Amino acid sequence: MNLLIDASMLGRLLNSGAPAPVLLDVRWHLGGPPGVESYRKGHLPGAVFVDLDRDVAGTPGSEGRHPLPDPAEFQAAMRRAGVSGDSRVIVYDGADSTAAARLWWTLRYFGHEDVHVLDGGYHAWTTAGHPVETDSTPGQENTAAEPGDFRARPGNLPVLDAEGAASLAKAGVLLDARASERYRGEVEPIDPVAGHIPGAVNAPTLGNVGVDSRFLPSGLLRERFAELGATDAVDVGVYCGSGVTAAHEILALHIAGIPAALYVGSWSAWVADPTHPVATGEA
């Protein structure tokens, strides 16, 4: 199976009689209502809710707003959600896979390879006419019927710290996945300082998907990243505001056949240190 799975393929898989995959709903809204409210209104049959802020990230601080979760805590969360070492895992969010990609990346980082993203998310599933469930017990949305035995083994995908990101901006290609106005330093709605890491190249995450919120074909993604200097012939890294949308860009790069490292702390960690330089404008 590819990194992505579409709604039709997932529907056939669920009706095939084969062992059911673990379905993880990680809908999340930055600054909006909790994703669990969307889950309660409707979710894929058998899906378990995973809270991005609580389960997929650590406590905010000097390492950023969404640092890596503690391995033991992530392991416990995935076990509660029913993930075992041999599980095929399908993750999804509302539509554009922004949050789903962060869970995909985190599972891969902690050693679980058989994990895939529902392309187009819940929107694609319901648009295709597939069934949903609305029944859930408050407080039990993130607990599977049978716990898993997932074991967290960190270090299976490359990461960058601040020093590594600064070096890569000079010696390789460091992509900034935020919106262009944030990259240029014209606005900064979340973090205390506006701008970007010197030498970084702007590649807004929304450029990875089409109007249907599904990922562009691999060939178009390769063309997009090649125009920005990112190919499989150079070292590539990605950051965003707090390491969420940057994971989406990492997934897009993987689809394009380009390995890349994630600066998990991203801009929120970069500006937590006042000695770090800040650039504004187009370059």
Side-chain angles (χ1 to χ4, degrees):
M1 190 184 295
N2 294 326
L3 298 171
L4 305 177
I5 183 171
D6 64 27
S8 296
M9 183 182 296
L10 179 55
R12 291 193 298 271
L13 176 62
L14 295 178
N15 291 317
S16 68
V22 175
L23 302 177
L24 301 181
D25 183 317
V26 66
R27 276 177 283 181
W28 173 76
H29 316 283
L30 179 62
V36 71
E37 294 182 7
S38 298
Y39 174 88
R40 289 169 180 159
K41 292 176 181 177
H43 52 269
L44 271 65
V48 177
F49 180 72
V50 173
D51 189 295
L52 187 144
D53 291 316
R54 181 193 62 213
D55 301 327
V56 194
T59 303
S62 61
E63 296 302 313
R65 286 184 279 110
H66 288 105
L68 276 169
D70 175 80
E73 293 180 1
F74 183 70
Q75 175 174 289
M78 291 301 98
R79 288 185 175 188
R80 284 195 305 272
V83 179
S84 290
D86 60 353
S87 296
R88 171 173 289 177
V89 180
I90 311 294
V91 300
Y92 71 91
D93 58 25
D96 64 11
S97 300
T98 297
R102 171 62 187 251
L103 180 52
W104 165 85
W105 184 92
T106 308
L107 278 163
R108 290 286 307 276
Y109 174 82
F110 282 109
H112 196 82
E113 294 189 0
D114 196 359
V115 54
H116 315 272
V117 172
L118 174 59
D119 199 12
Y122 185 75
H123 175 74
W125 179 260
T126 55
T127 299
H130 295 296
V132 299
E133 289 181 346
T134 57
D135 58 317
S136 64
T137 302
Q140 296 298 313
E141 295 92 347
N142 67 334
T143 303
E146 295 291 335
D149 62 10
F150 170 78
R151 184 166 64 90
R153 295 174 287 108
N156 289 274
L157 287 179
V159 295
L160 298 169
D161 57 12
E163 181 179 356
S167 297
L168 194 58
K170 298 175 181 177
V173 175
L174 181 65
L175 299 177
D176 183 319
R178 297 173 300 160
S180 297
E181 60 270 22
R182 291 182 70 189
Y183 169 84
R184 292 191 296 264
E186 297 168 0
V187 298
E188 181 44 65
I190 305 171
D191 294 306
V193 179
H196 60 268
I197 297 174
V201 179
N202 192 212
T205 293
L206 287 180
N208 299 325
V209 298
V211 294
D212 58 358
S213 295
R214 295 181 61 181
F215 280 93
L216 298 176
S218 58
L220 291 181
L221 288 171
R222 280 194 297 272
E223 291 178 9
R224 179 190 190 219
F225 292 125
E227 290 175 357
L228 298 169
T231 70
D232 59 2
V234 298
D235 291 330
V236 179
V238 188
Y239 76 97
C240 59
S242 66
V244 175
T245 58
H248 187 279
E249 196 116 285
I250 295 284
L251 176 54
L253 285 157
H254 273 68
I255 294 168
I258 304 169
L262 176 64
Y263 178 18
V264 183
S266 286
W267 186 246
S268 58
W270 182 267
V271 298
D273 185 339
T275 67
H276 288 155
V278 171
T280 56
E282 293 290 351

